[in-house]
Amino acid sequence: MTATTSTTPPTQPLSTRLVSLDTMRGLIMILLAAESCRLYESLHHLAAPGFAAGMVEQFFHHPWHGLRAWDLVQPAFMTMAGTALYISYYYKRQRGIAWQQQSTHILLRCAKLFVLGTALHCVYAGKLVWELWNVLTQLAFTTLIAWVIINGSYTFQLIISLLLLLLTEFLYRRVLMPGFDQPFTEHKNFGAWFDTLVMGKINTDGWVAINIIPTAAHTIWGVLAGKLLVQEAPAARKIKALLWAGGAGLIIGYGLDISNITPIIKRISTTAFIFVSGGWVLLILAFLYWLVDVRQVKRYAWIFTVVGMNAIFIYLFFETVGHQWLNGTIAVFVQGGAGLIGVTPAWQEVLSASATLYVEWYICYWLYKKKIFFKL
């Protein structure tokens, strides 16, 4: 594949897969796989205090109030799901498949996402548990919300997303239960109380299941981005709209935080966090759309697209087989062999994690070459 530098903006609607979306999805999944392979943890052991440690720290969630690069992964996942949802809906509708006809498939997909998300928590725990914090479980609900209003206008969908954020603010600020009356304090907020009600437990890291309400805004905004990208309009106009929307999200989100109205907290998906993370994700999407689909710089996009086109498979793989077996198996040989030639234990961990990540990427590459794609 070769890169071209044509600057002629396309004015027709998309007629093929949005390569930039597959690229972005693949990038996100590779980053998640690297975490599962313990690559960031091994690099953390090597990083010297200062700039290097600060860079590695960006690959870990912020402990509470603040924002790191890693906090953008889940919002990107949710937003891309919304974009893909609308693009798929649009082309099926072009073939005469109405919303009602597609709804059965969407409901079934949401049910599968919910089951897989809850099942993964059982795998993590090594026993049957009832926990609703996994991203797939969350996505099942946000997809359903976005689907119900997918035929609405831009304005209507935007208003619904804002109402969901207002509802979040109301719940955290006004529904104050005994012991859970501190809106933005870890384990003392409405989200934690809701978890005790639904699951009988609180997440030790501060995550809350009620995040399905505010993060639905990400999926709805993804739908809006998909609707924008398939319309007949110059690419420059589409990019400009994404940039304006992304910039607005940053201004609103950081403004809420700086003015001490609502803090940026990823673990409970505060309104400020939703705006800030949504803004960054839309800016990233705008850049990749310009680079890959407009400028046609695709020489290395395949590295990511082979993963992005099997995103659900690789996620389930590294969260189960990878975490439970592959990581340790590869470590036996890589760390053992590296140790024989005098490589330090810290670097042995990095090499082992990198080798595991490559194996998981190659599995996706092999599936791509065989035209095997797992879909829900």
Side-chain angles (χ1 to χ4, degrees):
M1 302 174 75
T2 58
T4 64
T5 57
S6 172
T7 58
T8 303
T11 57
Q12 295 77 26
L14 298 172
S15 57
T16 60
R17 291 184 69 96
L18 193 63
V19 181
S20 57
L21 187 63
D22 284 328
T23 302
M24 186 172 176
R25 186 188 295 113
L27 172 62
I28 294 298
M29 299 316 299
I30 289 173
L31 289 172
L32 284 169
E35 180 194 37
S36 178
C37 295
R38 304 173 71 89
L39 180 58
Y40 309 137
E41 186 175 334
S42 61
L43 289 173
H44 182 69
H45 296 157
L46 276 175
F51 179 77
M55 290 299 295
V56 174
E57 192 177 64
Q58 291 299 311
F59 291 92
F60 295 86
H61 286 300
H62 197 286
W64 194 246
H65 179 193
L67 186 74
R68 293 177 181 168
W70 195 246
D71 296 323
L72 301 179
V73 170
Q74 183 261 358
F77 198 89
M78 294 288 193
T79 304
M80 289 185 297
T83 304
L85 179 69
Y86 185 82
I87 292 174
S88 174
Y89 165 68
Y90 174 82
Y91 284 113
K92 287 181 180 179
R93 191 178 62 183
Q94 294 291 92
R95 300 199 305 269
I97 307 175
W99 180 88
Q100 292 82 354
Q101 295 171 282
Q102 297 185 46
S103 293
T104 300
H105 172 69
I106 297 299
L107 289 172
L108 182 59
R109 179 195 295 176
C110 291
K112 290 177 180 178
L113 287 170
F114 181 83
V115 170
L116 290 172
T118 52
L120 280 176
H121 276 288
C122 297
V123 174
Y124 303 153
K127 60 181 180 180
L128 291 178
V129 294
W130 174 242
E131 297 176 355
L132 305 174
W133 299 303
N134 185 270
V135 65
L136 297 185
T137 307
Q138 302 270 314
L139 185 59
F141 287 98
T142 67
T143 297
L144 189 58
I145 294 170
W147 178 254
V148 169
I149 63 171
I150 202 167
N151 279 321
S153 65
Y154 282 101
T155 301
F156 176 76
Q157 290 173 324
L158 181 60
I159 289 174
I160 293 297
S161 71
L162 296 178
L163 288 176
L164 290 172
L165 297 181
L166 287 174
L167 174 60
T168 302
E169 289 284 339
F170 174 83
L171 292 174
Y172 275 87
R173 294 177 185 273
R174 297 299 181 186
V175 184
L176 307 176
M177 308 303 293
F180 300 95
D181 53 359
Q182 301 176 50
F184 305 119
T185 300
E186 189 174 14
H187 302 146
K188 301 294 183 181
N189 52 67
F190 169 81
W193 171 80
F194 184 81
D195 286 351
T196 65
L197 185 67
V198 175
M199 293 177 282
K201 64 184 75 174
I202 295 175
N203 186 285
T204 55
D205 293 322
W207 305 108
V208 296
I210 203 67
N211 283 349
I212 59 174
I213 294 177
T215 57
H218 283 143
T219 307
I220 294 171
W221 295 345
V223 167
L224 292 174
K227 185 182 297 188
L228 171 70
L229 292 172
V230 299
Q231 68 178 217
E232 293 188 20
R237 185 182 301 171
K238 299 176 185 180
I239 294 170
K240 184 177 180 180
L242 289 173
L243 292 176
W244 274 104
L250 296 184
I251 292 171
I252 296 172
Y254 282 120
L256 288 171
D257 185 74
I258 294 171
S259 61
N260 294 318
I261 296 175
T262 302
I264 295 173
I265 304 174
K266 192 276 189 274
R267 294 171 192 262
I268 59 172
S269 293
T270 60
T271 298
F273 169 76
I274 295 298
F275 276 116
V276 167
S277 58
W280 281 117
V281 170
L282 289 176
L283 293 180
I284 294 169
L285 178 60
F287 171 74
L288 289 176
Y289 173 68
W290 169 79
L291 182 69
V292 177
D293 290 304
V294 178
R295 300 285 293 183
Q296 294 289 300
V297 180
K298 299 180 180 179
R299 177 173 296 176
Y300 302 109
W302 66 274
I303 296 173
F304 306 103
T305 58
V306 298
V307 179
M309 294 178 72
N310 256 317
I312 291 294
F313 163 78
I314 193 59
Y315 179 78
L316 294 174
F317 182 88
F318 65 64
E319 288 290 287
T320 54
V321 177
H323 181 74
Q324 299 286 328
W325 175 76
L326 188 63
N327 291 2
T329 301
I330 290 180
V332 169
F333 297 98
V334 174
Q335 293 188 29
L340 291 176
I341 59 175
V343 177
T344 63
W347 275 107
Q348 289 177 30
E349 292 180 5
V350 173
L351 292 174
S352 176
S354 300
T356 306
L357 179 60
Y358 174 76
V359 169
E360 292 179 350
W361 175 86
Y362 190 82
I363 291 172
C364 288
Y365 176 70
W366 183 85
L367 290 172
Y368 177 82
K369 295 292 286 186
K370 296 296 182 180
K371 296 183 175 7
I372 301 173
F373 305 103
F374 295 86
K375 300 181 182 296
L376 292 181

